[in-house]
Amino acid sequence: MPELPEVETVRAGLDRHVAGRTVRSVRVLRDYSVRRHVGGPVDLAARLEGRTLGAVVRRGKYLWVLLDDDEALTAHLGMSGQLLVHHASDAPDHRHLRVRLELTTPGEPDRVLDFVDQRTFGHLAVAELVPTPDGGPGGRGSDLPALPPAVAHIARDVLDPDLDRDAAVAAVRRRHSEIKRALLDQTLVSGIGNIYADEALWRARLHGARPTDRLRTAQVRAVLAACEDVMRAALRSGGTSFDALYVDVNGSSGYFDRELAVYGRAGLPCPRCGAPVRREPFMNRSSFSCSACQPRPRPVRRVHSKPCVP
């Protein structure tokens, strides 16, 4: 599933190519891809046609395009969703095309914005923006004090200049969980998924099973700093692509997979110490870590009192 660097790459591309354009028409080719829109596909088209797309905003892994009247076109890419921009004259009919928006701007060639989704876990919807306790959306693109309802519970991410680092560190340490599980909790810090959690933990020299409530404040702060570092590095490479399911708006793949230290490298030498990278099961997925640099935590000893004998 795309994580923050991939979604931010898509956001930036959309902001360059579709912001300021007017929606001429909307075609929904698969109703399931707009299942989160309350009024269904006909209402979605009616609420978009004739409206001008504004800035493109992101929080965590969620995207939305601002409209007028405090509304937004929201998008979640799921596992395989793609938002692709083409010139209308040569727009291909992709076999997994789900929704197409035809866009127009006076004096410029028409374009189309295609939502392509092979596995159909992604979705589009038009939603009203609602006030949230922590104000603006985070990410980049807007400072409006409101979010789409589906995003209101999502925390700010490590690239957000308004993230309260002290509060985030405290929230992680209060969570009675493993540190990797805490990193994947989007209500604590958003945008981090399996790939970048493993890479950040390697940089911080911590095993993902370390209990959060036994980590020092400095250790949690170091993990969040490592998350920021690895995501900024991934952004410079356009994100991570292991297959053709993640591409930017121009259809280009990211190449940060060439810089991964441990993720997907089981049995290969750690770039830091040369010890083999190990693979361990984790929440129906896999975790990757260095067998030497990231020692497993010792089991917590529990002291049981002896029963009273009358």
Side-chain angles (χ1 to χ4, degrees):
M1 181 176 291
E3 302 179 30
L4 186 155
E6 292 77 49
V7 178
E8 172 60 21
T9 299
V10 172
R11 185 212 66 79
L14 290 176
D15 206 49
R16 288 194 303 270
H17 295 298
V18 307
R21 295 181 177 270
T22 300
V23 180
R24 171 179 288 171
S25 64
V26 178
R27 282 197 298 146
V28 178
L29 289 81
R30 187 181 177 93
D31 292 359
Y32 189 71
S33 294
V34 297
R35 62 191 178 279
R36 299 292 179 90
H37 183 78
V38 176
V42 174
D43 183 71
L44 178 98
R47 291 174 66 177
L48 285 175
E49 289 174 355
R51 301 179 80 172
T52 299
L53 303 179
V56 186
V57 188
R58 174 193 56 76
R59 175 171 277 203
K61 305 174 188 178
Y62 285 81
L63 285 171
W64 63 98
V65 185
L66 297 177
L67 304 170
D68 51 9
D69 297 328
D70 295 325
E71 290 189 329
L73 171 62
T74 65
H76 194 279
L77 302 179
M79 295 184 69
S80 61
Q82 302 172 355
L83 288 165
L84 305 174
V85 180
H86 308 280
H87 288 289
S89 58
D90 59 1
D93 285 328
H94 195 284
R95 61 181 294 195
H96 300 301
L97 177 63
R98 308 306 183 195
V99 182
R100 170 168 286 179
L101 278 63
E102 296 185 2
L103 309 176
T104 183
T105 301
E108 296 185 22
D110 290 347
R111 295 185 179 182
V112 298
L113 172 60
D114 285 346
F115 179 58
V116 174
D117 191 9
Q118 177 177 330
R119 299 179 182 174
T120 68
F121 291 116
H123 51 82
L124 302 181
V126 174
E128 293 184 3
L129 301 175
V130 298
T132 58
D134 68 342
R140 301 177 183 176
S142 172
D143 293 321
L144 290 180
L147 302 171
V151 188
H153 68 290
I154 301 297
R156 293 180 181 272
D157 61 65
V158 291
L159 301 188
D160 187 342
D162 293 320
L163 174 67
D164 186 334
R165 293 286 178 133
D166 292 337
V169 169
V172 170
R173 295 187 70 223
R174 284 195 303 269
R175 188 60 53 94
H176 298 289
S177 177
E178 299 174 352
I179 181 60
K180 181 171 178 179
R181 289 178 184 268
L183 292 177
L184 299 184
D185 186 342
Q186 303 299 295
T187 66
L188 295 178
V189 180
S190 66
I192 305 169
N194 203 37
I195 296 173
Y196 298 111
D198 281 355
E199 291 296 300
L201 288 166
W202 177 81
R203 292 185 179 213
R205 297 175 182 254
L206 290 175
H207 191 279
R210 291 284 297 272
T212 53
D213 54 356
R214 291 175 174 266
L215 292 176
R216 299 188 302 275
T217 296
Q219 290 176 305
V220 178
R221 191 175 294 277
V223 171
L224 295 183
C227 288
E228 178 178 358
D229 290 344
V230 72
M231 287 186 174
R232 290 196 184 280
L235 271 173
R236 291 192 292 270
S237 300
T240 302
S241 299
F242 286 112
D243 53 34
L245 295 184
Y246 162 67
V247 293
D248 65 15
V249 298
N250 298 311
S252 300
S253 298
Y255 51 90
F256 188 67
D257 58 301
R258 304 172 192 173
E259 302 178 45
L260 294 174
V262 289
Y263 187 86
R265 292 174 53 85
L268 296 176
C270 167
R272 185 166 49 215
C273 72
V277 172
R278 66 186 161 216
R279 174 186 176 275
E280 298 172 288
F282 175 79
M283 296 174 60
N284 297 320
R285 289 175 283 181
S286 296
S287 281
F288 298 88
S289 59
C290 174
S291 56
C293 296
Q294 298 169 268
R296 292 188 184 93
R298 295 177 180 178
V300 178
R301 283 188 172 184
R302 300 186 182 277
V303 178
H304 300 280
S305 58
K306 294 182 180 180
C308 295
V309 179

